[in-house]
Amino acid sequence: MINVVIDEFTPCLKDVRTGELVQTEIRIKRKSFLKKYNKKNGWYTNWEALADENEIYALVVEGPVDIQGLVAVARNDDMQALYISWMCASPDNNKQITRNVRYLGVGGHLFAIAAHKSVSFGYDGYIYGFAANKELLEHYVKTFHGEVIAIQHPCQFAIGEQAAREIMEVYDYEWTDEEI
């Protein structure tokens, strides 16, 4: 389930209070660390359970281990695309939970991570998943030139190679295989 709003195209996260751009990095999440990220505290699902069948990546502000968003992805060799199992911004950055978000740009960064992993798996950037609702589906189609495929669910969509490359060109982050 993909439940992020693409609020602003920023190469780095933008601190809402100061307007400053802050550098980001991507880190791999260890299953044991994910226990505290769950439905009860605004993360929509039990992220520890997702680690059984997905690779989970965290978007963090460079330096601290302050998670700004999470994305769970899985390879799909049959479709030659990367499946986004779950994607959400932290409760502090989620416009559906709070009116006073901390950083802008989280949702786009998470899509860039998925596109990056798709390329690294040899899928040329193709990604697909399920929008949380019709409004978000339309948002992703409009914002990223996604395509409604609605094979398994009415809110299923895909983003192709060209659109994925455009997403990756906008967002800047340091990729690290460091686990947290």
Side-chain angles (χ1 to χ4, degrees):
M1 187 68 57
I2 303 171
N3 197 358
V4 296
V5 174
I6 312 308
D7 48 24
E8 195 167 308
F9 291 102
T10 60
C12 299
L13 295 184
K14 183 177 180 181
D15 187 315
V16 173
R17 287 172 261 164
T18 66
E20 176 186 2
L21 294 179
V22 295
Q23 296 298 312
T24 56
E25 54 188 29
I26 311 308
R27 298 202 179 167
I28 300 169
K29 296 294 292 176
R30 285 191 318 259
K31 185 175 180 178
S32 61
F33 190 82
L34 292 167
K35 191 174 209 161
K36 62 184 176 181
Y37 299 90
N38 54 55
K39 204 177 216 180
K40 292 178 188 174
N41 58 17
W43 287 89
Y44 291 105
T45 191
N46 177 355
W47 284 83
E48 181 182 33
L50 287 174
D52 290 336
E53 296 181 9
N54 297 278
E55 292 180 21
I56 300 181
Y57 297 93
L59 175 67
V60 300
V61 172
E62 197 172 70
V65 188
D66 193 12
I67 308 300
Q68 304 307 316
L70 291 169
V71 58
V73 298
R75 295 174 74 137
N76 187 329
D77 290 334
D78 291 336
M79 289 190 64
Q80 287 294 293
L82 185 78
Y83 171 55
I84 302 170
S85 303
W86 268 93
M87 177 186 290
C88 72
S90 72
D92 291 344
N93 296 315
N94 188 334
K95 288 186 174 191
Q96 298 169 71
I97 294 175
T98 182
R99 291 171 58 175
N100 299 312
V101 297
R102 183 172 180 192
Y103 294 109
L104 297 175
V106 173
H109 271 74
L110 296 173
F111 271 98
I113 293 166
H116 174 95
K117 289 308 296 180
S118 173
V119 169
S120 73
F121 289 143
Y123 302 144
D124 297 326
Y126 288 98
I127 54 179
Y128 74 99
F130 303 92
N133 56 48
K134 184 97 168 140
E135 183 181 338
L136 284 172
L137 173 69
E138 291 169 3
H139 177 61
Y140 303 145
V141 168
K142 180 181 176 187
T143 304
F144 292 136
H145 311 291
E147 181 179 337
V148 177
I149 55 177
I151 296 169
Q152 297 173 308
H153 187 275
C155 291
Q156 186 177 11
F157 71 99
I159 294 175
E161 177 181 358
Q162 182 59 36
R165 292 204 185 283
E166 290 171 10
I167 293 168
M168 289 186 296
E169 288 173 6
V170 171
Y171 297 95
D172 184 32
Y173 47 80
E174 181 70 31
W175 193 277
T176 175
D177 288 333
E178 185 177 332
E179 290 188 3
I180 52 174

